[in-house]
Amino acid sequence: MAAGSLELTMTSQTRTAVTTGDGVRIAYRFDGDDDKPVLLLSNSIGTDLHMWDGQVPALTEHFRLLRYDARGHGASDVPPGPYSLDRLGRDVVELLDALRLRRVHVLGLSLGGIVAQWLGIHVPERVDRLVLSNTAAYLGPAHQWDRPIAELLEAPDMRATAEEFLRNWFPAHMLRGGDEVVEAFRRTLFVTRREGVAGSTSSADASSGTTAS
């Protein structure tokens, strides 16, 4: 199938998908009126496009939202890792190409923010407004991720990693109280494939991918 080609099937969660040049299906969905400017939302590691559910009502007052599951997450395929930052960025470019979207606003959070920075540097003509949330241009040397990746792949499931992520994302009182927002993220983490999280973790070192050459 051609790079960025559209598939005609839909999932029960109303996602559709494109297939990238390396044969990976990337799931996506639109929300909002099609006459409004498009805002692309790029997710944190370990989450899927539903991480934005709470913001959809407010954002769709002004934008048509394009949400997607990064490779290794949600309803997208989980190819063998590692996934380079360049590959995660090109997934977005191929998605935009398939949807015939020349230029969009981009909001990226955490790893999604690193991907958004890649877009701003390497394909600035595709980005109108760029919003970077809870992210960084550099998180330290790449080798610091070697042990966490190995431990994750050796673990029987996502539970230990999920609890570590949740401690980073939410204050202690929310973790103690059985908060439904926390529980929703916990459920997503539990069903996320370890291989997808491990494959994406190396992309957190943005020192090469977000530096203009």
Side-chain angles (χ1 to χ4, degrees), residues 8 67 79-80 150 180:
L8 300 180
R67 297 186 277 167
E180 179 52 35

Side-chain angles (χ1 to χ4, degrees), residues 101-213:
L101 293 171
R102 185 182 64 84
R103 189 175 175 90
V104 298
H105 303 307
V106 178
L107 165 56
L109 186 145
S110 190
L111 177 59
I114 294 174
V115 174
Q117 292 173 70
W118 185 97
L119 295 171
I121 290 171
H122 294 282
V123 286
E125 71 279 4
R126 308 303 293 270
V127 179
D128 193 342
R129 302 294 193 272
L130 178 64
V131 181
L132 305 174
S133 177
N134 300 82
T135 191
Y138 180 64
L139 297 178
H143 65 76
Q144 72 176 321
W145 307 111
D146 293 345
R147 183 171 180 178
I149 291 172
E151 291 177 347
L152 173 58
L153 292 175
E154 292 170 358
D157 53 41
M158 275 287 292
R159 291 183 180 277
T161 298
E163 296 307 319
E164 180 181 354
F165 281 12
L166 292 171
R167 287 192 296 271
N168 290 334
W169 294 346
F170 297 102
H173 73 273
M174 292 184 69
L175 296 174
R176 291 192 301 266
D179 187 281
E180 179 52 35
V181 173
V182 175
E183 293 308 311
F185 276 84
R186 180 178 280 115
R187 289 191 294 270
T188 298
L189 285 163
F190 281 176
V191 300
T192 300
R193 294 269 298 276
R194 290 174 298 143
E195 297 84 357
V197 175
S200 302
T201 299
S202 60
S203 299
D205 173 27
S207 60
S208 61
T210 61
T211 302
S213 57

Side-chain angles (χ1 to χ4, degrees), residues 43-63:
N43 316 331
S44 168
I45 194 170
T47 68
D48 62 13
L49 58 79
H50 288 293
M51 72 162 285
W52 304 100
D53 282 354
Q55 288 72 50
V56 167
L59 291 175
T60 51
E61 291 183 9
H62 306 282
F63 303 101

